[in-house]
Amino acid sequence: MVSFAIKMTRRHKLSVFKVNKTIEEINDKIKRGEAVVVNAEEMIDIVRKEGAIEAAKKVDVVTTGTFGTMCSSGALLNFGHTAPKIKAAKVWLNDVEAYGSLAAVDLYIGASAVKKGDPLNAVHPGRFEYGGGHVIEDLIAKKPVKLSAEGYGTDCYPAKRIEMEIFIDDLKEATLLNPRNAYQNYSVATNSTDKTIYTYMGVLKPGFANATYSSAGQLSPLLNDPFYLTTGIGTRIFLGGGVGYVIWHGTQHNPNEERNERGVPKTGAGALAVVGDMKQMSPDFIKGASILGYGVSLSVGVGIPIPVLNEEIAFFTSVSDEEINAYIFDYGHDYPLKIDNNYGLTNYKELKSGFITINGKKVPTAPLSSYSGAVKIAETLKQWILDRKFFLTKPSALLPQSKDYEPLKYLKKYEKNL
Amino acid sequence: MISKKVVLRFPEEIAGKPLVSDICKKFDLTFNIMRANIFPRKEGILTLEISGEKASFTSGIQYLKDNGVSINFVEESINRDENKCYHCGFCVAVCPTEALTIINRKTMKVDLFKDRCIACGYCVRVCPAKAMSLPEEF
């Protein structure tokens, strides 16, 4: 906290930037209905045409979005006390096991939990028809969900077994609490073996016959804030159709992954832990996912506004698909064995074109993350801001930072081109 | 000339008969095999595109039916629930005929061309949102 405060003051005093705006100033403009808000796709052309400095003067907020399956998601629910009371040690929602050992009637249901009696991969590839992700979607869609719980009985909580129907609106609390979402970037998956494999990266055909990728690329939140300069703890975001917050760095957040000449990491790198009120959310942006042969997950829509405080942030938010690289990994052999090997570097322009080259061979690609969903999210967030319903926040603390960052280092490299 | 994709199911009793070869010889039809499977109970399934004169086509199909083959026309049988589909792209990775493909590389929305579908059912199994469906007889 202290070091953050010092850093901010020093940055301001030194004023290494030509444009210096504050979050307060931007929020005032939003209040007055004067803020200029564009999505991260629109920002590319603005910076290319007018340069980072002019773009920073002109644009106040860049909105981003991503909509894909994000494991490490779950819901924290409080179902209220029953009569007689129970200290629910074991809990199931629509026969999907949740974690109950929090208190009496608090529970946490993980997106990847599968329904009791699911054949799993007994007949490979398993279908994984229903699980935690679907329970979360059903709750948000305001469908009834069957809750069963078992307790061992205490003097204050005598009930040993309950079964009831719950609706989201009757719950005291329904909070989406996702330990790792919005991965900054992701791997491209392919399969070197002679068998079709069924992975969380989709179906990968033998002999490098296809490749899949999972990122919104130029629209993705942390690819537009590659050094986590404005996205930090406390940042207000779009989450699943409602308002949420960044609460911590995501599990496995690694700011020191290899970066390209624009400072954009070439693989996973950063991630966010996020939280939001499920009662505000919509099944349009939160969907249970059954992944053939792999399991259950949750597709989550996340959108993050980036305040354009200076020309460097304008530069970072102007990143385009061809400037975002991703390594190609073999999910048939290397990945499951944790062998550090890759099949080259591609970029999102190539990936989105439908073909990449692996070992000199043209390989068809397919996305797993919905780009049209990402656009819809960035546009919704833009509209919220223009409607003066959504204001920007200054992080109360920064996420773990990258050693590679120095103010203006990457913009200076590009200045001639801008 | 007409050309239609059909899914033929051969019950165990007739799985050994050369019925498809018969319709070529007897009715002057041509066919293109898209999918062929024999299941553990010896029931066979064959997806063909059959082409020929309209009258011959009708007689050929009737011949197959008379011999105990159950026939379903693939055309328009695949269905996508537009409320469930969120255009992720999982299906694009598996569709063998580009019935599911992405034409517009800016919006990246997944297009469905029902006329290219051979009712293989891969998309039905792979769709994480369960948006794709085929009638039960497939």
Side-chain angles (χ1 to χ4, degrees), chain A residues 41 67 127 129 134 202-203 205 210 213 287-290 299 352-354 366-372, chain B residues 83-90 92-95 102 105-109 124-130:
Chain A
E41 202 182 88
F67 189 18
R127 302 289 288 263
E129 297 280 357
H134 301 96
V203 179
K205 295 184 253 183
N210 70 338
Y213 64 97
K287 283 177 189 286
S290 297
S299 293
K352 282 169 75 176
S353 79
L368 306 174
S369 171
S370 169
Y371 190 77
S372 63
Chain B
N83 292 319
K84 286 185 180 170
C85 172
Y86 66 104
H87 299 271
C88 60
F90 271 76
V92 175
V94 295
C95 181
I102 297 169
R105 294 281 160 181
K106 185 163 162 58
T107 66
M108 296 300 285
K109 283 200 169 182
V124 178
R125 295 206 302 158
V126 91
C127 176
K130 302 190 193 83

Side-chain angles (χ1 to χ4, degrees), chain A residues 106-128:
Chain A
D106 281 337
L107 67 91
Y108 186 79
I109 181 153
S112 65
V114 289
K115 194 174 175 166
K116 232 192 272 179
D118 190 291
L120 307 173
N121 266 337
V123 179
H124 188 258
R127 302 289 288 263
F128 302 95

Side-chain angles (χ1 to χ4, degrees), chain A residues 343-412:
Chain A
Y343 284 83
L345 205 56
T346 179
N347 65 56
Y348 284 91
K349 190 183 179 184
E350 280 175 4
L351 286 163
K352 282 169 75 176
S353 79
F355 291 96
I356 55 172
T357 306
I358 302 175
N359 291 340
K361 191 185 145 195
K362 201 173 161 193
V363 176
T365 59
L368 306 174
S369 171
S370 169
Y371 190 77
S372 63
V375 172
K376 210 196 272 178
I377 290 164
E379 280 300 294
T380 306
L381 185 52
K382 184 205 278 183
Q383 203 53 52
W384 286 356
I385 298 169
L386 294 173
D387 291 346
R388 308 174 215 189
K389 288 193 293 203
F390 188 104
F391 292 90
L392 307 194
T393 47
K394 191 164 157 181
S396 49
L398 294 179
L399 303 174
Q401 296 285 293
S402 161
K403 284 181 267 187
D404 291 339
Y405 178 71
E406 276 167 44
L408 289 174
K409 173 175 155 187
Y410 292 93
L411 174 57
K412 273 179 181 162

